Amino acid sequence: MSRLELLTPEGLRIDGRRANELRRITAKTSVFSQADGSAYIEQGNTKCLAAVYGPREARYRQQLQSDRALLNVEFNVAPFSTSERKKRSKNDKRSLEMATFIRQTFEPVILTKQLPKSQIDIYLQIFQHDGGVLQCCINAATMALIDAGIPMIDYVCACSAGCIDKVPVLDLNNLEESSDTPELTVAILPRTGKVNLVEMESRLHIEKLESVTELASQGCMQVHKVLDSVIRENTEYLRDRLNT
Amino acid sequence: MPDLVYYDKTERSFFRKTRSNAIVKLVREQYLRGDIPCMSEQCPSIPPCQRVLDINTNNPKHEGLLSAHADHYVIPDMSARDKTLGGIIMRYLEILEQEELTGIILSQTIITSLQQHDKLRTYRKLRQIINDTRRNSVVFYNEVFADTRVPRLAGETASERDWRALCRMANWYSHHLGKPIVLLSEVNSTLNNNNNDDDDNQGLVTVRTMKQYIDQYWGQHTLLQNLAQVLAEAVLEDDLERIRVTSSGKKSEPAVSGYTEYKPMEELEAGIKSSRYFSGTLRCRSGTRDTGYVNGGQKLEKDILIIGSENINRAVHGDMVVVELLSENNWTTTSSKIAYGGSTEDEYEETRLTRNINTTHPTGRVIGILNRNWRSYVATIQEDTPSNGLFHLAIPLDSVIPKIRLRHHDVKLIQNQRIVVRIDSWPTSSQYPNGHYVRSLGPIHQLDTEISAILVEHGISVSQASQGFSEASLKEMPEDTVATPWKPEPNEIARRKDLRSLTVFSIDPPNCQDIDDALSIRDLDDGRIELGVHIADVSYFVKENSLTDLEARSRGTTVYLADRRFDMLPSVLSEKVCSLRGDVDRYAVSVLWTLDSKTLQVLDTWFGRTLIRSSCEMEYEQAQQLLDGESVATNLSTSLSKKLKPSVVKLATVLRAMRRQRLAKGALELESSNEVKFKIGDNHSVTDINILFLLFLYTNLTILFQNFNESEAMIMANSYVGKRIYDGFKDAAILRRHPPPNAGQFEMLVKAAESKGFPVDFSSNRALAISLERIVKNSAGDPEIARLMKTMATVAMNEAGYISSGHYVVDEYFHYGLALEFYTHFTSPIRRYADIVAHRQLLMCVEDEVAILDRQKKGTSMTQDSKVNDICDHLNLKSRESKFAQRDSTELFQSLYVLQHTTNGNPLIESGVIAEIRSNGFYVFIPRLGLKGPVFLMDKHGQPAVPLSLQSGNSDHDEEYLSNCTIDVSIPTNISVQAATLPHPIQFNLFDHVRVSLKLRKSHAHRHMVYMTLIDLEHTKVEKSIPIMSKDILMKTVMESFNNDDKEEIEDIDDIETGREVGGEKIAMSKQEIETRRQLKKSTKQQGNMYDFLEQFRKMSIAACSYVDNTTTN
């Protein structure tokens, strides 16, 4: 089998991007009227829908926390999201782990202390899977939370970066991910630049860690720009509607 | 962070079969860009498009852009009528590879298509063309460029779309640059313009077939013309074949003797994945081209044997093949017979093969080929070919390659010559592969022809073989003539550390021209000692990516053959400006250690560029004399001797003490390296390159000059530099590693040693060194045993090689032979490219001004792991090939020696030692000539053929054989012969001394081969000192007779030159080449002083050194 050249000597990737370029991001908020807040995001061919319910009364009494809100994340991948149809249960290990990552990312950002004895539910659904699922979910969740009007200290923007032939590469797609490229996902708070999540499951040379992390956080800032403009646009639209 | 520069996003979707044979649809994004550069110097945009790109990419390509001076650019196409052929790219790759063709634009369309069809080898070759900045060729990413992208229409085939894409790209280029563009295609002859809006550029884009193109643009170039002609014929033939096949509806010619068509690729891949088939590189053993083997991988843990030409099924040595196993009752054992009519092949492979004989091997058959690995072969037209007819058989020099059927209109022109041949194809209907004639090297059995043959066989480039450098690269060189000698520049003097006041001297063999290392030592004020190693500063003159640098990189190393050498650098550098001669100012890169005077601990190390003035080019002998307490050495003035003596003595004491210290520390470092050194020194025909190169210079030094141990300083310098560059560039440092051997590799040695009663412990390098030392001590009466044993140990070990540290784990950097954690090559930049890389890396580490400046100005690839790794791979290959070339040339001279001593009918009788037992005979090592050759006890049919002389003791009877005898073999230690007429069986044990008569098997298609017949066993122990004839004398005798022929040969060359027109013979030899050859001849001739000449020989022959050593110690 031929090994594909993921990064040509001229610095182009298979999909025509350069090493430090993101895939195209399109996003939209308030896609559902049922949910309190919702968002739809496409990062290249990875497509994710987020719906936020809450703050609302906690469903189970025993989970209720008297001093803060309870955060609940459910993550689901559609069986038709990859080229080969594969049913994944909501409760399989990967999905649960992913949900935990996301919950832990948002817990310190949402001002839960202001909403005691309540529950916030974030439902995430992947429709098409082309790499970078975690970052896509975090970005979608941020937008949905903002759309729901839940108090947060900042956006949470996530982006992944990897390393192909010793060159740091931004925003891996499925093809690049699946050929043993180490992938690092970073989520940061863009205003302060604080890192909220760093996740990596493969081996990466320690010498490269710094440059890869740096590239990923630069990517986060770019993501922030896009998300921010979408949110502002939506807010303006809402304001216009209020005024009329 | 750049803003997004892509214009649009599209999607590419296609269907693919998965492992479980399900068909799935895959969708991939495709971003269309606006910033793909045209990569031309002539780009009309302001600023030029590649400049814009520089900001965005890490490694911009600055050199090798499409030249502004070229009158046209070429875009090759790869579509073909038949999928298996692959159009221009595949069929005419050889022409594209010719250096004359420049300005090739390779489209992404083709690259993608090559990758999809698993033509990775072709892709790599094309990449080489692109990477060679002299070729001014580039890759253009037309598929991701918004202006040139062509989507596939409904109902359009992929190849139709590809052709449209290429046309679109050609049009874009002609628009953009206003230059003529030539589209090369064999299939399509018209441009597809339906999507082109304006037609005013029509005249600029033309479509040509390869032949038309060559005729139009290269009409004067005979070599290209020839190649095009020959290749076109091959294509035509294939086409005819196909037409015949298709028109008759079935195979027109029946497949020859069991050849079968290969299975389709999908089936092979599926088979390999499910472990039903095995894949690997086919290797054949010399002389037995109908027996091959493939590494079975982890599942079988044994090699798969492939026996018989029908099972090998048209695969050639070196091809990547797919093998299917035969049923187990067909499995056989490997034969350990000495092949008839083959040269001693790679001994490492050989031992690996024979290691587990007598066990059944899986046996298989080739059912498909993943990758052909055909190269240029040297061959000779079969002797008794009828001179009429179009097709002839050529026998390759390399006996593992099958005969090649080639087409030539006049065979008389190429008969009795060594010719270069390439294989084109091998259809099932043909017994032999089809090939074509490329060029002639000259008449057979002439020294020059045979040497060129060696060079071609080992892939040594034509430019190196002709000792030439292009004019442009010579222009980069500094000037140094008698009238205007080279002088350091004032600002360089200011920049460098000035060590001219320091007493620096070099110690080399007599008449050394390229002195690349020098030493210094002095006491510092505070009682410490400063030890310095000064290496010629080649990297200052050879800037990265300059033409000289590229040429040197592709040469990789200076090649030393028995009688000549092929330099890596132009002689103005290697012999003049870089050579650290006495009494002139020279640039150097120095390593200075500050040592504690008592403990000799290294307190501080300094690296950097310096300016030195060597006080003296000392010879070993002179240094030795000074060391021995003489106040004045031969040929040295009194004052100079006085000046040098304290330094020399001091240096010797310090180095000796340091060595002792290291040994005491338990590291046993030098001990182990010494061991290996001697081993290598003992048998020049050791194939293992191993430590050879590093020992190449050190052996000479240590052995000839043992007290002094200059090598200690060099090893130290190399290891410190290795450590330093590793600290500087953790993931891209060029290091030299020597992996430790595993137990299986020592099996032969252990058995052999046990037969003589020595235990061998190879658990660590230290233990091994100790056991070998014990063998040396205990076999003092018979030095050959220890010598052979060490050779076996060396062969058993792994090869040392260059690595880029990023490609290996930290604990794999270890150098087993030297027992050093870090090692690199730093001390011989004049003759090894690896050292130049190490120099550059070191200088960047220590932030040398000039190095940093160069880096800023031009960028560097010396710190990129992938680039360094590519260089390492290339250098490993080159040093290996040059080693083989060396060995071959030695064999050539040995056979010449034997030829000269047997022509008058006198037998050449030598005594030797049995070095290896095989099932039909044994190998005998003759220490006097440094020669290892086979003695057969059975003839080709397996019948015993034991010479009668064993019984009678009369050497005249060595052609007559004992009757009715049986032979009992127990490998690897004993072979015994029993016969009715013998009172008791004759035993041949490993390491027994025998007397043999040397003979030459003459051959037309191969080099003459030395073989031996047995005279008798030497039961009496040999007298202690065999009269040893050094290699030098051997060379001398050979060369003396050659000198007589010299005149004739010069005339021969003249003949060739004039005879070109006369005979219509197309000898592809440029005037320049002839000139250099003639000069070479003259220089050989003029060397009335044989010593000069022998000096050259010394460089290649380590064996010689050990002999000298022996004679001195005896």
Side-chain angles (χ1 to χ4, degrees):
Chain A
M1 277 302 289
S2 65
R3 229 182 71 92
L4 283 166
E5 201 174 29
L6 293 176
L7 189 68
T8 63
E10 282 78 13
L12 285 170
R13 299 203 239 163
I14 288 177
D15 58 6
R17 287 183 291 155
R18 294 198 187 284
N20 56 2
E21 287 171 357
L22 283 175
R23 288 177 287 178
R24 170 161 302 185
I25 301 175
T26 47
K28 202 178 166 191
T29 53
S30 305
V31 285
F32 293 142
S33 49
Q34 170 78 56
D36 293 315
S38 58
Y40 172 71
I41 192 166
E42 285 184 11
Q43 295 197 303
N45 270 345
T46 302
K47 298 172 186 182
C48 177
L49 189 66
V52 169
Y53 290 85
R56 58 182 177 184
E57 200 180 343
R59 194 179 289 166
Y60 304 108
R61 286 256 145 198
Q62 59 267 46
Q63 287 179 340
L64 184 139
Q65 282 160 313
S66 57
D67 60 337
R68 68 183 95 161
L70 174 75
L71 193 61
N72 175 39
V73 178
E74 281 184 23
F75 168 82
N76 197 13
V77 180
F80 51 82
S81 64
T82 46
S83 54
E84 275 172 284
R85 190 180 168 88
K86 189 176 161 198
K87 179 103 178 144
R88 264 212 273 182
S89 134
K90 195 171 64 180
N91 291 325
D92 80 353
K93 276 255 172 66
R94 289 285 313 159
S95 300
L96 287 177
E97 191 189 21
M98 195 73 95
T100 314
F101 281 147
I102 297 163
R103 184 167 55 79
Q104 286 172 347
T105 310
F106 282 100
E107 259 170 358
V109 184
I110 298 172
L111 301 171
T112 45
K113 291 269 165 70
Q114 291 185 359
L115 313 160
K117 297 183 182 173
S118 65
Q119 176 173 353
I120 300 166
D121 292 305
I122 305 175
Y123 298 101
L124 294 159
Q125 174 76 40
I126 295 287
F127 290 108
Q128 200 171 333
H129 183 337
D130 192 27
V133 170
L134 180 58
Q135 48 155 328
C136 196
C137 286
I138 292 176
N139 294 334
T142 306
M143 301 232 291
L145 284 167
I146 293 170
D147 188 45
I150 288 172
M152 303 202 312
I153 54 176
D154 198 355
Y155 285 90
V156 183
C157 296
C159 189
S160 70
C163 195
I164 299 172
D165 301 334
K166 311 273 144 74
V167 181
V169 171
L170 193 64
D171 195 10
L172 304 181
N173 65 21
N174 191 31
L175 183 72
E176 289 162 339
E177 268 180 3
S178 54
S179 34
D180 282 342
T181 314
E183 188 184 23
L184 174 93
T185 305
V186 173
I188 64 171
L189 306 180
R191 262 197 299 193
T192 52
K194 278 186 181 160
V195 176
N196 224 11
L197 166 103
V198 178
E199 182 261 357
M200 183 167 64
E201 289 172 352
S202 36
R203 281 157 59 103
L204 177 68
H205 199 285
I206 188 97
E207 300 264 303
K208 286 286 165 219
L209 183 64
E210 193 189 337
S211 56
V212 171
T213 320
E214 177 59 25
L215 185 68
S217 26
Q218 280 176 6
C220 292
M221 297 314 260
Q222 274 188 310
V223 171
H224 174 241
K225 243 192 256 170
V226 180
L227 298 191
D228 196 43
S229 72
V230 172
I231 293 289
R232 279 175 197 282
E233 222 167 83
N234 193 45
T235 318
E236 263 162 36
Y237 167 74
L238 288 175
R239 194 189 58 196
D240 291 349
R241 271 215 333 199
L242 270 180
N243 292 343
T244 48
Chain B
M1 204 88 208
D3 280 332
L4 303 182
V5 277
Y6 36 79
Y7 287 175
D8 201 4
K9 188 187 109 171
T10 59
E11 273 174 5
R12 208 152 48 92
S13 63
F14 51 93
F15 295 90
R16 181 163 210 150
K17 201 155 75 172
T18 64
R19 273 171 219 189
S20 50
N21 283 339
I23 290 174
V24 294
K25 182 182 178 188
L26 288 177
V27 178
R28 279 188 198 154
E29 285 178 286
Q30 195 70 63
Y31 289 96
L32 297 187
R33 315 188 60 94
D35 66 342
I36 299 294
C38 67
M39 305 294 269
S40 169
E41 286 170 0
Q42 214 190 5
C43 183
S45 328
I46 297 165
C49 30
Q50 53 270 15
R51 289 278 163 265
V52 183
L53 203 68
D54 287 358
I55 312 157
N56 298 342
T57 47
N58 311 330
N59 49 346
K61 187 178 178 181
H62 282 284
E63 279 161 348
L65 302 176
L66 291 170
S67 163
H69 309 295
D71 54 353
H72 67 280
Y73 299 139
V74 179
I75 301 177
D77 169 35
M78 72 168 283
S79 55
R81 285 193 200 92
D82 190 307
K83 250 191 191 167
T84 54
L85 287 177
I88 291 273
I89 296 279
M90 306 295 288
R91 297 312 296 265
Y92 292 101
L93 187 62
E94 213 180 320
I95 290 186
L96 293 180
E97 277 180 331
Q98 295 300 318
E99 285 186 14
E100 287 81 0
L101 252 67
T102 56
I104 300 167
I105 307 168
L106 199 60
S107 65
Q108 192 193 4
T109 312
I110 282 169
I111 292 181
T112 328
S113 161
L114 283 175
Q115 284 179 339
Q116 268 170 9
H117 292 107
D118 272 323
K119 307 275 194 242
L120 282 185
R121 205 169 93 91
T122 318
Y123 174 59
R124 275 199 297 275
K125 286 202 164 165
L126 289 171
R127 265 282 166 212
Q128 273 170 14
I129 298 177
I130 304 294
N131 289 341
D132 190 342
T133 54
R134 290 167 290 185
R135 302 292 301 276
N136 296 93
S137 299
V138 297
V139 174
F140 184 73
Y141 286 84
N142 62 328
E143 299 286 332
V144 295
F145 188 43
D147 292 354
T148 53
R149 193 191 138 75
V150 175
R152 188 163 162 185
L153 302 174
E156 191 179 34
T157 65
S159 58
E160 277 166 13
R161 191 210 71 92
D162 285 354
W163 176 243
R164 272 198 314 130
L166 286 177
C167 292
R168 178 77 166 262
M169 170 176 150
N171 280 329
W172 182 84
Y173 253 104
S174 63
H175 256 275
H176 185 69
L177 299 175
K179 279 228 177 201
I181 305 287
V182 179
L183 257 172
L184 289 181
S185 176
E186 296 296 295
V187 180
N188 305 289
S189 54
T190 49
L191 273 180
N192 189 314
N193 279 316
N194 41 11
N195 43 24
N196 203 0
D197 28 0
D198 54 339
D199 291 340
D200 54 351
N201 271 302
Q202 279 305 297
L204 287 176
V205 182
T206 45
V207 183
R208 293 275 177 274
T209 66
M210 191 49 126
K211 197 167 172 341
Q212 288 167 337
Y213 169 71
I214 296 285
D215 285 345
Q216 187 177 349
Y217 289 93
W218 302 95
Q220 305 305 313
H221 200 290
T222 41
L223 181 68
L224 279 182
Q225 284 277 353
N226 265 352
L227 262 179
Q229 177 78 27
V230 167
L231 289 171
E233 271 172 18
V235 175
L236 195 71
E237 214 175 292
D238 271 5
D239 285 352
L240 284 177
E241 179 89 358
R242 215 178 355 271
I243 291 164
R244 229 177 316 161
V245 170
T246 45
S247 62
S248 61
K250 56 187 175 196
K251 275 189 193 141
S252 56
E253 284 177 66
V256 171
S257 55
Y259 289 165
T260 48
E261 288 293 346
Y262 298 133
K263 299 213 162 128
M265 204 45 126
E266 300 86 62
E267 200 182 325
L268 295 179
E269 272 173 12
I272 294 168
K273 270 190 193 123
S274 61
S275 308
R276 198 149 53 91
Y277 303 148
F278 297 85
S279 69
T281 311
L282 180 79
R283 314 221 150 268
C284 299
R285 277 173 61 198
S286 63
T288 54
R289 75 180 77 88
D290 52 355
T291 320
Y293 64 95
V294 165
N295 192 335
Q298 292 191 331
K299 196 169 163 248
L300 287 172
E301 290 179 334
K302 273 181 193 170
D303 291 334
I304 303 169
L305 274 183
I306 300 157
I307 295 166
S309 59
E310 63 271 20
N311 281 338
I312 289 185
N313 199 7
R314 299 173 289 141
V316 179
H317 174 86
D319 288 349
M320 270 288 273
V321 296
V322 181
V323 178
E324 180 185 40
L325 290 188
L326 299 176
S327 61
E328 272 186 51
N329 46 16
N330 287 330
W331 290 13
T332 47
T333 58
T334 35
S335 85
S336 60
K337 283 182 185 167
I338 309 171
Y340 288 88
S343 63
T344 39
E345 248 302 281
D346 192 336
E347 277 181 55
Y348 176 68
E349 289 294 344
E350 192 101 319
T351 35
R352 216 171 62 82
L353 263 182
T354 45
R355 201 181 308 139
N356 34 20
I357 32 170
N358 295 336
T359 52
T360 42
H361 269 265
T363 308
R365 124 180 211 89
V366 175
I367 50 163
I369 290 194
L370 296 178
N371 209 339
R372 290 287 195 188
N373 244 334
W374 294 337
R375 55 179 175 93
S376 298
Y377 301 102
V378 176
T380 317
I381 296 287
Q382 216 167 26
E383 220 166 345
D384 45 1
T385 322
S387 54
N388 48 4
L390 213 50
F391 291 97
H392 315 281
L393 277 185
I395 307 170
L397 198 60
D398 193 348
S399 58
V400 299
I401 308 297
K403 291 177 190 171
I404 300 164
R405 198 169 77 114
L406 60 87
R407 182 189 166 107
H408 197 272
H409 52 89
D410 194 353
V411 75
K412 274 183 200 144
L413 288 180
I414 53 172
Q415 237 168 2
N416 296 324
Q417 292 194 336
R418 296 270 185 255
I419 55 175
V420 180
V421 172
R422 268 186 170 239
I423 303 182
D424 298 320
S425 63
W426 196 344
T428 43
S429 57
S430 166
Q431 176 84 48
Y432 298 111
N434 295 322
H436 66 264
Y437 159 82
V438 180
R439 65 194 165 104
S440 163
L441 297 173
I444 56 170
H445 294 318
Q446 272 202 1
L447 190 59
D448 270 339
T449 313
E450 296 302 330
I451 297 272
S452 335
I454 289 173
L455 295 180
V456 171
E457 277 290 292
H458 295 289
I460 289 156
S461 69
V462 180
S463 63
Q464 187 170 10
S466 61
Q467 311 244 0
F469 276 83
S470 70
E471 250 169 66
S473 83
L474 286 177
K475 257 184 216 148
E476 297 169 353
M477 293 295 104
E479 199 181 341
D480 185 36
T481 55
V482 184
T484 54
W486 177 86
K487 279 203 180 69
E489 294 162 38
N491 52 350
E492 268 301 310
I493 297 178
R495 206 156 23 196
R496 284 164 183 268
K497 189 166 188 162
D498 196 339
L499 297 179
R500 279 179 291 183
S501 52
L502 198 67
T503 312
V504 176
F505 52 91
S506 60
I507 302 170
D508 280 289
N511 278 316
C512 187
Q513 294 295 311
D514 44 354
I515 304 168
D516 41 23
D517 49 68
L519 292 161
S520 71
I521 192 159
R522 66 166 172 178
D523 289 319
L524 296 176
D525 304 333
D526 49 358
R528 290 180 296 176
I529 302 171
E530 186 192 71
L531 174 66
V533 169
H534 312 276
I535 308 296
D537 191 358
V538 175
S539 66
Y540 178 80
F541 298 102
V542 182
K543 298 286 184 210
E544 189 180 339
N545 289 334
S546 66
L547 292 173
T548 319
D549 180 53
L550 293 170
E551 183 63 39
R553 187 183 304 172
S554 64
R555 294 182 184 189
T557 169
T558 296
V559 179
Y560 295 95
L561 295 191
D563 63 333
R564 59 196 78 182
R565 72 165 201 260
F566 298 96
D567 284 332
M568 181 181 82
L569 293 173
S571 59
V572 64
L573 285 187
S574 63
E575 286 167 17
K576 289 179 176 164
V577 181
C578 280
S579 184
L580 305 174
R581 313 305 289 262
D583 289 327
V584 281
D585 292 347
R586 287 288 182 252
Y587 294 159
V589 176
S590 302
V591 184
L592 298 175
W593 293 282
T594 317
L595 307 173
D596 189 289
S597 59
K598 292 210 181 61
T599 58
L600 293 178
Q601 290 275 326
V602 176
L603 301 173
D604 192 24
T605 319
W606 182 88
F607 305 94
R609 285 192 148 133
T610 52
L611 186 65
I612 60 162
R613 176 187 275 263
S614 172
S615 318
C616 176
E617 307 165 30
M618 235 187 298
E619 296 173 5
Y620 293 132
E621 247 171 275
Q622 295 170 338
Q624 189 63 51
Q625 283 168 351
L626 288 180
L627 207 55
D628 290 345
E630 287 172 40
S631 58
V632 177
T634 355
N635 296 333
L636 283 187
S637 71
T638 331
S639 60
L640 199 57
S641 301
K642 213 177 206 170
K643 187 177 165 195
L644 288 173
K645 191 171 176 191
S647 297
V648 171
V649 174
K650 180 105 189 156
L651 190 62
T653 9
V654 168
L655 289 178
R656 216 178 301 147
M658 288 188 75
R659 175 169 180 245
R660 241 196 334 265
Q661 207 174 39
R662 292 211 295 175
L663 299 185
K665 247 192 269 170
L668 230 157
E669 292 164 355
L670 202 65
E671 197 55 41
S672 56
S673 76
N674 253 341
E675 281 305 329
V676 184
K677 271 179 219 169
F678 279 97
K679 263 175 255 157
I680 304 256
D682 284 334
N683 186 349
H684 66 285
S685 60
V686 174
T687 46
D688 196 297
I689 325 171
N690 237 337
I691 322 160
L692 201 118
F693 260 105
L694 80 99
L695 298 173
F696 202 42
L697 51 164
Y698 307 134
T699 347
N700 310 335
L701 304 182
T702 17
I703 294 174
L704 287 175
F705 194 46
Q706 222 150 6
N707 291 329
F708 201 74
N709 250 322
E710 185 193 347
S711 67
E712 174 78 24
M714 295 303 153
I715 291 175
M716 194 165 146
N718 282 338
S719 83
Y720 270 85
V721 169
K723 178 86 180 82
R724 183 70 189 85
I725 56 177
Y726 174 71
D727 286 343
F729 303 109
K730 284 238 160 35
D731 60 347
I734 185 166
L735 297 177
R736 189 160 174 85
R737 113 187 153 117
H738 182 210
N742 59 33
Q745 292 170 320
F746 277 111
E747 205 179 323
M748 285 282 279
L749 174 70
V750 173
K751 276 192 191 157
E754 272 167 3
S755 76
K756 282 280 161 190
F758 299 120
V760 173
D761 178 6
F762 50 84
S763 54
S764 71
N765 42 2
R766 181 178 184 163
L768 180 65
I770 292 173
S771 352
L772 285 173
E773 209 177 321
R774 196 178 305 133
I775 294 176
V776 175
K777 239 180 248 162
N778 293 343
S779 59
D782 195 354
E784 297 315 321
I785 294 185
R787 196 179 271 188
L788 285 169
M789 213 87 96
K790 283 173 179 168
T791 311
M792 289 170 92
T794 316
V795 171
M797 275 193 237
N798 289 316
E799 273 177 56
Y802 299 108
I803 56 161
S804 164
S805 58
H807 269 65
Y808 290 84
V809 191
V810 182
D811 49 1
E812 287 179 3
Y813 300 160
F814 191 71
H815 196 290
Y816 179 83
L818 288 172
L820 282 172
E821 209 174 334
F822 294 99
Y823 197 74
T824 191
H825 271 169
F826 169 73
T827 50
S828 299
I830 294 178
R831 55 188 154 204
R832 290 185 306 227
Y833 190 77
D835 300 53
I836 299 184
V837 177
H839 273 234
R840 289 191 185 129
Q841 290 190 339
L842 177 72
L843 291 171
M844 271 185 255
C845 281
V846 299
E847 290 174 355
D848 180 82
E849 257 179 78
V850 181
I852 297 292
L853 208 67
D854 284 345
R855 184 184 184 172
Q856 278 165 357
K857 215 166 29 185
K858 290 197 158 175
T860 178
S861 54
M862 292 296 156
T863 53
Q864 289 167 18
D865 182 32
S866 54
K867 294 274 166 54
V868 175
N869 189 56
D870 288 348
I871 294 176
C872 287
D873 288 348
H874 174 72
L875 291 180
N876 287 333
L877 185 80
K878 280 287 164 188
S879 49
R880 201 183 155 90
E881 288 296 350
S882 90
K883 182 70 207 61
F884 286 146
Q886 246 172 53
R887 187 201 60 197
D888 280 1
S889 77
T890 314
E891 276 177 11
L892 178 67
F893 275 93
Q894 281 167 339
S895 70
L896 280 172
Y897 176 83
V898 175
L899 178 70
Q900 280 161 17
H901 285 79
T902 48
T903 37
N904 44 8
N906 297 333
L908 183 64
I909 295 176
E910 297 287 344
S911 57
V913 183
I914 298 182
E916 209 177 325
I917 302 272
R918 292 298 187 80
S919 56
N920 62 342
F922 45 78
Y923 278 104
V924 172
F925 177 71
I926 297 175
R928 196 175 81 93
L929 302 173
L931 182 89
K932 193 170 151 187
V935 168
F936 297 104
L937 291 181
M938 291 183 202
D939 63 14
K940 284 180 189 179
H941 313 292
Q943 295 302 314
V946 182
L948 198 60
S949 57
L950 271 181
Q951 196 181 13
S952 62
N954 187 342
S955 65
D956 295 341
H957 295 303
D958 62 340
E959 295 293 341
E960 294 165 40
Y961 300 116
L962 278 175
S963 51
N964 300 329
C965 61
T966 52
I967 293 178
D968 243 354
V969 190
S970 76
I971 292 173
T973 51
N974 175 283
I975 192 165
S976 72
V977 178
Q978 274 181 308
T981 50
L982 285 175
H984 46 82
I986 308 176
Q987 301 281 349
F988 297 98
N989 292 318
L990 194 61
F991 302 130
D992 274 357
H993 287 261
V994 289
R995 289 209 307 143
V996 289
S997 165
L998 293 186
K999 301 203 171 149
L1000 209 58
R1001 178 174 295 126
K1002 299 220 174 148
S1003 166
H1004 180 76
H1006 299 279
R1007 284 192 280 278
H1008 297 317
M1009 181 198 161
V1010 178
Y1011 74 105
M1012 310 174 180
T1013 52
L1014 202 59
I1015 307 286
D1016 58 8
L1017 275 166
E1018 284 183 49
H1019 293 292
T1020 49
K1021 275 279 164 231
V1022 248
E1023 53 289 25
K1024 283 273 151 65
S1025 60
I1026 317 161
I1028 280 167
M1029 165 166 154
S1030 81
K1031 207 51 179 299
D1032 300 353
I1033 304 172
L1034 188 154
M1035 274 303 296
K1036 193 168 173 175
T1037 11
V1038 171
M1039 282 318 293
E1040 260 164 10
S1041 55
F1042 260 95
N1043 278 347
N1044 303 336
D1045 301 340
D1046 258 357
K1047 252 192 195 141
E1048 265 170 60
E1049 279 180 40
I1050 289 173
E1051 280 156 18
D1052 276 351
I1053 289 175
D1054 285 336
D1055 282 350
I1056 290 170
E1057 199 175 7
T1058 47
R1060 269 209 297 191
E1061 293 88 317
V1062 181
E1065 195 174 4
K1066 286 165 193 159
I1067 292 175
M1069 207 195 311
S1070 65
K1071 276 242 161 82
Q1072 192 194 350
E1073 203 175 333
I1074 294 172
E1075 195 48 47
T1076 18
R1077 275 207 195 188
R1078 194 183 296 159
Q1079 272 168 8
L1080 204 118
K1081 268 271 139 15
K1082 274 183 192 153
S1083 65
T1084 341
K1085 192 182 155 201
Q1086 279 163 2
Q1087 275 158 359
N1089 179 3
M1090 191 50 70
Y1091 210 66
D1092 291 12
F1093 180 69
L1094 294 179
E1095 173 46 37
Q1096 287 183 7
F1097 187 50
R1098 180 203 62 82
K1099 291 205 160 152
M1100 73 73 48
S1101 166
I1102 289 150
C1105 304
S1106 60
Y1107 293 136
V1108 175
D1109 177 38
N1110 267 355
T1111 35
T1112 47
T1113 46
N1114 282 344

